[in-house]
Amino acid sequence: MAMRAWRSFGLSRIKHETLARVADAVVIGSLDLHALSAESPEKALSELTAIKGIGPWTAEVYLMFCFGHADVFPAGDVALQAAVGMAFGRAERPQAKALALEAAAWAPWRSVAARLFWAYYAVKTRRDALPIV
Protein backbone atom coordinates (compact mmCIF):
# COMPACT_ATOMS: atom_id res chain seq x y z
CA MET A 1 0.00 0.00 0.00
CA ALA A 2 2.75 2.47 0.96
CA MET A 3 4.46 1.80 -2.37
CA ARG A 4 1.48 3.39 -4.13
CA ALA A 5 1.02 6.37 -1.83
CA TRP A 6 2.47 8.54 -4.59
CA ARG A 7 -0.72 8.04 -6.56
CA SER A 8 -2.73 9.81 -3.87
CA PHE A 9 -0.53 12.86 -4.50
CA GLY A 10 -1.40 12.82 -8.19
CA LEU A 11 2.01 11.66 -9.37
CA SER A 12 2.40 9.49 -12.41
CA ARG A 13 4.55 6.39 -12.14
CA ILE A 14 7.28 8.11 -14.18
CA LYS A 15 7.32 11.19 -11.93
CA HIS A 16 7.37 8.94 -8.87
CA GLU A 17 10.36 7.05 -10.25
CA THR A 18 12.20 10.30 -11.01
CA LEU A 19 11.57 11.64 -7.51
CA ALA A 20 12.73 8.33 -6.05
CA ARG A 21 15.98 8.57 -8.06
CA VAL A 22 16.52 12.13 -6.83
CA ALA A 23 15.85 11.10 -3.23
CA ASP A 24 18.21 8.12 -3.52
CA ALA A 25 20.95 10.35 -4.98
CA VAL A 26 20.55 12.82 -2.11
CA VAL A 27 20.58 10.05 0.52
CA ILE A 28 23.70 8.33 -0.83
CA GLY A 29 25.43 11.68 -1.31
CA SER A 30 25.86 11.68 -5.07
CA LEU A 31 23.59 14.74 -5.28
CA ASP A 32 24.30 17.54 -2.82
CA LEU A 33 21.61 20.13 -3.50
CA HIS A 34 23.14 22.66 -1.11
CA ALA A 35 26.54 22.49 -2.80
CA LEU A 36 24.91 22.41 -6.22
CA SER A 37 23.12 25.70 -5.50
CA ALA A 38 26.52 27.45 -5.41
CA GLU A 39 27.63 26.03 -8.78
CA SER A 40 27.32 27.76 -12.13
CA PRO A 41 24.00 27.21 -13.89
CA GLU A 42 25.78 25.15 -16.56
CA LYS A 43 27.32 22.76 -14.02
CA ALA A 44 24.11 22.51 -12.00
CA LEU A 45 22.08 21.82 -15.16
CA SER A 46 24.53 19.12 -16.17
CA GLU A 47 24.34 17.39 -12.79
CA LEU A 48 20.56 17.59 -12.55
CA THR A 49 19.88 16.39 -16.08
CA ALA A 50 22.24 13.45 -15.53
CA ILE A 51 19.48 12.00 -13.36
CA LYS A 52 17.08 9.95 -15.48
CA GLY A 53 13.76 11.74 -15.73
CA ILE A 54 15.05 15.28 -15.19
CA GLY A 55 15.09 17.21 -18.43
CA PRO A 56 16.38 20.66 -19.23
CA TRP A 57 13.08 22.43 -18.50
CA THR A 58 12.73 20.85 -15.06
CA ALA A 59 16.35 21.61 -14.17
CA GLU A 60 16.16 25.20 -15.43
CA VAL A 61 12.96 25.96 -13.54
CA TYR A 62 14.43 24.36 -10.41
CA LEU A 63 17.55 26.53 -10.71
CA MET A 64 15.44 29.65 -11.10
CA PHE A 65 12.93 29.10 -8.32
CA CYS A 66 14.75 26.92 -5.80
CA PHE A 67 18.35 28.07 -6.22
CA GLY A 68 17.57 31.65 -7.21
CA HIS A 69 19.89 31.67 -10.23
CA ALA A 70 19.50 34.98 -12.05
CA ASP A 71 20.75 33.83 -15.44
CA VAL A 72 18.67 30.84 -16.54
CA PHE A 73 16.10 30.90 -19.33
CA PRO A 74 13.93 27.81 -19.95
CA ALA A 75 13.55 28.38 -23.69
CA GLY A 76 11.63 25.12 -24.06
CA ASP A 77 8.73 26.56 -22.04
CA VAL A 78 5.77 27.01 -24.41
CA ALA A 79 4.32 29.92 -22.40
CA LEU A 80 7.66 31.76 -22.64
CA GLN A 81 7.81 31.08 -26.35
CA ALA A 82 4.29 32.42 -26.79
CA ALA A 83 4.95 35.46 -24.60
CA VAL A 84 8.09 36.45 -26.50
CA GLY A 85 6.24 35.99 -29.77
CA MET A 86 3.36 38.17 -28.57
CA ALA A 87 5.62 40.80 -27.01
CA PHE A 88 7.54 41.28 -30.23
CA GLY A 89 4.50 41.09 -32.50
CA ARG A 90 5.42 37.86 -34.23
CA ALA A 91 2.88 35.78 -36.10
CA GLU A 92 4.33 32.58 -34.63
CA ARG A 93 6.02 31.74 -31.37
CA PRO A 94 9.78 31.21 -31.59
CA GLN A 95 11.04 27.67 -31.25
CA ALA A 96 13.25 26.71 -28.31
CA LYS A 97 16.62 26.90 -30.08
CA ALA A 98 15.89 30.29 -31.65
CA LEU A 99 14.55 31.62 -28.36
CA ALA A 100 17.63 30.43 -26.45
CA LEU A 101 19.83 32.34 -28.89
CA GLU A 102 17.67 35.45 -28.53
CA ALA A 103 17.65 35.16 -24.74
CA ALA A 104 21.45 35.21 -24.69
CA ALA A 105 21.21 38.97 -25.14
CA TRP A 106 19.40 39.21 -21.78
CA ALA A 107 22.30 37.69 -19.82
CA PRO A 108 23.13 37.92 -16.98
CA TRP A 109 19.46 38.47 -16.07
CA ARG A 110 17.69 35.84 -18.15
CA SER A 111 15.71 34.54 -15.16
CA VAL A 112 14.36 38.04 -14.63
CA ALA A 113 13.40 38.22 -18.30
CA ALA A 114 11.65 34.83 -18.02
CA ARG A 115 9.61 35.99 -15.02
CA LEU A 116 8.65 39.19 -16.82
CA PHE A 117 7.56 37.25 -19.90
CA TRP A 118 5.55 34.81 -17.77
CA ALA A 119 3.82 37.77 -16.10
CA TYR A 120 3.16 39.33 -19.51
CA TYR A 121 1.73 36.03 -20.75
CA ALA A 122 -0.53 35.79 -17.70
CA VAL A 123 -1.92 39.27 -18.34
CA LYS A 124 -2.36 38.76 -22.08
CA THR A 125 -4.01 35.34 -21.78
CA ARG A 126 -5.69 35.94 -18.41
CA ARG A 127 -4.19 32.81 -16.92
CA ASP A 128 -1.23 32.04 -14.72
CA ALA A 129 1.89 30.96 -16.56
CA LEU A 130 4.40 30.42 -13.76
CA PRO A 131 5.61 26.86 -13.36
CA ILE A 132 4.49 25.11 -10.21
CA VAL A 133 7.58 24.33 -8.19
Side-chain angles (χ1 to χ4, degrees):
M1 179 97 168
M3 293 295 287
R4 298 188 188 220
W6 50 272
R7 285 191 177 177
S8 66
F9 297 115
L11 292 176
S12 66
R13 178 186 53 80
I14 292 170
K15 288 181 183 175
H16 165 260
E17 290 170 356
T18 299
L19 289 173
R21 282 190 287 276
V22 170
D24 289 344
V26 169
V27 168
I28 65 171
S30 63
L31 179 62
D32 182 344
L33 293 173
H34 182 70
L36 195 59
S37 69
E39 295 290 349
S40 71
E42 295 78 19
K43 180 154 175 35
L45 284 169
S46 176
E47 287 196 36
L48 289 171
T49 57
I51 298 170
K52 184 179 176 185
I54 297 182
W57 181 89
T58 301
E60 290 162 343
V61 169
Y62 188 82
L63 293 181
M64 286 177 65
F65 290 96
C66 296
F67 287 173
H69 278 289
D71 196 29
V72 177
F73 194 89
D77 187 275
V78 175
L80 281 179
Q81 294 169 3
V84 170
M86 285 187 280
F88 295 113
R90 298 180 185 149
E92 295 183 14
R93 63 180 173 85
Q95 296 302 303
K97 287 183 181 183
L99 184 54
L101 290 172
E102 185 171 0
W106 305 323
W109 302 105
R110 287 178 283 193
S111 296
V112 175
R115 294 198 59 140
L116 289 170
F117 281 116
W118 275 318
Y120 176 77
Y121 181 86
V123 169
K124 293 297 274 185
T125 63
R126 295 187 180 164
R127 59 182 179 200
D128 194 13
L130 283 176
I132 299 172
V133 180

